Amino acid sequence: KTVALAALGAAASASTVTFTPCAGTWVYNIDTHNVYTTPADVEKGDSITLFLDGIMGKAVTLTELVVDTDWDGVFLHKTVAKETAAVNAGQEYQLKFSVNVPSFAPSGQYTITAYVDGDETGSTTESKLGCIKAAFTL
């Protein structure tokens, strides 16, 4: 999946991405020790790939990945990417997606919140199954 950050204007400098878990209890237990990006440092004009590794607590069918981007604490952009995987309870699952960081992105602190949405097996109600936050500075 490729996600483009909508943004406006300035010059490049690299920043390491740091990950933190979202508050709450989740069906998709994302292991923050096994979450990473390539490249590890983010610069304007780069394409980075985020790898989310975790274990599914229940049998689910994934429906979408929702990525909210905040810049200096202000909501900037939402991207929704379709997912279709069926994952069994206790199964390890890796989700990866790419983010294009425009060369004209404004300088400042970025926070990306990624939600994995889906349905628990036997349910007809879609819910947020997992969440992780990524932060970096441009």
Side-chain angles (χ1 to χ4, degrees), residues 3 5 42-48 99-103 105 136 138:
V3 179
L5 296 179
V42 178
E43 288 188 40
K44 294 178 185 190
D46 278 354
S47 177
I48 61 170
V99 179
N100 293 317
V101 181
S103 58
F136 57 92
L138 290 178

Side-chain angles (χ1 to χ4, degrees), residues 5-138:
L5 296 179
L8 306 167
S13 69
S15 172
T16 300
V17 180
T18 57
F19 294 94
T20 55
C22 296
T25 303
W26 303 96
V27 172
Y28 181 33
N29 300 302
I30 300 170
D31 180 358
T32 55
H33 298 295
N34 287 320
V35 175
Y36 60 96
T37 64
T38 58
D41 295 334
V42 178
E43 288 188 40
K44 294 178 185 190
D46 278 354
S47 177
I48 61 170
T49 301
L50 291 87
F51 295 85
L52 309 178
D53 287 316
I55 303 219
M56 212 55 78
K58 297 180 181 179
V60 299
T61 300
L62 303 180
T63 57
E64 60 190 13
L65 172 68
V66 178
V67 180
D68 290 336
T69 303
D70 292 350
W71 166 64
D72 284 341
V74 176
F75 176 76
L76 182 64
H77 185 69
K78 176 187 288 283
T79 301
V80 178
K82 292 295 178 193
E83 293 292 329
T84 58
V87 186
N88 294 321
Q91 182 178 344
E92 289 185 35
Y93 184 73
Q94 182 182 76
L95 180 64
K96 75 177 188 176
F97 60 97
S98 295
V99 179
N100 293 317
V101 181
S103 58
F104 54 84
S107 297
Q109 178 66 40
Y110 285 80
T111 303
I112 296 173
T113 305
Y115 296 99
V116 180
D117 292 350
D119 304 321
E120 293 181 26
T121 301
S123 172
T124 58
T125 306
E126 185 176 292
S127 60
K128 295 193 180 314
L129 303 174
C131 178
I132 189 89
K133 290 184 183 245
F136 57 92
T137 302
L138 290 178

